Amino acid sequence: MTTDERCADEGPRLATPQDAAAFDFPFAPYAIQLDFMQRLFETIEHGAMGVFESPTGTGKSLSLLCGALTWLRQHEQRLQQLRLPDDPADAEDKSEEDKSEEPEWVRAYARRERQRKREDAASARETAQKRYDAWVARVRRREAAAQRAVRPVKRRRTDAAQNDSGSGSDSDLLVADYRSDAAASDDSSGSEDSDVEPDEPHGTQIVFASRTHSQLQQLMGELKRTAHAHGLRALTLAGRTQL
């Protein structure tokens, strides 16, 4: 698919923001930062490839985040507009409908069917997103419970090593398996596929790649300083040395 075909499917082109407020930049940017965000926004919108360079200390990470995530937010809003019942994308269908010699009641039925299909599709996307979010929440609760169960074991082993009493065995230092109320309620929910990962809803994703894991951690720290962190799902994937 060419860039022009992609834009035709996604609606009109997005206008490049002209000020820092539109990018949700956390403070007054330098001119080089604003220019960086604007050129990045335009590059992504046009589906092009870009090479950007900026001196050390000019806030490249923050500019990269705000520029890319501002485009993502506006792009999702554009797609939402295209899914409305009075979608302008139906202009061609309506034009063909006006030329049709079918009775009015047939054309009215066709219009209702198009609207129903759009509403059903939107409802299905919303349901899939809720199901996926619920699964993520369950997994995170179980991971937190597992981490809380491991901490006492490590602490008691450390205390025993410091005392160096030489008595007892490692089994005396272990605690019973811990299961949180949240994890228990998840297991007793009666759902046979509660542990089965549902299909992740399709959506536009932005991937930040870096040579070192520490740079990705720094990027996540910068993200938390911005308004983009709210309502955004982000995940840090480590290299083999961190796994």
Side-chain angles (χ1 to χ4, degrees):
M1 179 180 292
T2 66
T3 301
D4 291 338
E5 289 173 339
R6 178 183 64 83
C7 292
D9 290 340
E10 297 176 352
R13 286 198 183 277
L14 298 174
T16 303
Q18 299 301 312
D19 53 39
F23 285 105
D24 285 325
F25 206 73
F27 46 81
Y30 299 120
I32 191 174
Q33 291 174 320
L34 181 59
D35 185 58
F36 188 108
M37 292 185 290
Q38 290 174 329
R39 301 292 83 78
L40 175 63
F41 186 100
E42 292 172 352
T43 299
I44 300 175
E45 174 61 14
H46 287 78
M49 298 180 63
V51 178
F52 298 86
E53 184 178 14
S54 186
T56 302
T58 55
K60 293 187 292 294
S61 298
L62 201 56
S63 300
L64 187 66
L65 283 168
C66 290
L69 296 180
T70 294
W71 175 87
L72 178 61
R73 183 187 65 233
Q74 294 190 14
H75 174 68
E76 291 297 330
Q77 292 173 348
R78 170 173 56 185
L79 294 182
Q80 284 294 107
Q81 289 295 323
L82 291 177
R83 294 167 185 160
L84 293 176
D86 294 330
D87 188 346
D90 284 339
E92 183 176 349
D93 290 340
K94 293 178 181 178
S95 176
E96 292 297 325
E97 179 183 302
D98 292 338
K99 298 176 183 177
S100 173
E101 298 180 357
E102 297 288 348
E104 173 57 29
W105 67 270
V106 174
R107 289 182 287 174
Y109 175 80
R111 288 193 296 269
R112 289 195 300 271
E113 279 297 295
R114 286 198 300 270
Q115 179 173 339
R116 182 187 61 80
K117 290 179 180 179
R118 282 193 299 271
E119 292 174 349
D120 289 347
S123 178
R125 285 191 297 268
E126 183 179 358
T127 300
Q129 184 66 63
K130 289 181 178 178
R131 184 183 300 113
Y132 184 78
D133 291 342
W135 176 83
V136 171
R138 286 197 300 270
V139 171
R140 288 178 176 173
R141 286 198 299 269
R142 291 172 182 170
E143 289 177 347
Q147 291 175 358
R148 289 194 297 270
V150 170
R151 291 192 189 106
V153 176
K154 291 182 178 179
R155 183 170 58 254
R156 294 183 65 180
R157 283 179 174 169
T158 302
D159 294 343
Q162 291 175 349
N163 293 335
D164 196 20
S165 61
S167 61
S169 62
D170 289 344
S171 61
D172 297 333
L173 304 177
L174 298 177
V175 298
D177 291 341
Y178 173 79
R179 294 179 64 79
S180 69
D181 294 339
S185 63
D186 285 339
D187 291 343
S188 61
S189 62
S191 175
E192 296 180 357
D193 61 345
S194 59
D195 291 332
V196 179
E197 179 181 359
D199 293 334
E200 183 175 1
H202 296 290
T204 305
Q205 297 179 336
I206 293 182
V207 179
F208 293 92
S210 178
R211 184 175 58 85
T212 64
H213 186 65
S214 59
Q215 290 177 336
L216 293 179
Q217 291 178 319
Q218 177 186 359
L219 200 69
M220 291 296 290
E222 294 289 343
L223 173 61
K224 294 177 181 178
R225 299 172 57 192
T226 72
H228 296 287
H230 305 290
L232 179 71
R233 292 187 300 276
L235 173 66
T236 303
L237 295 177
R240 286 178 295 179
T241 56
Q242 274 76 36
L243 297 178

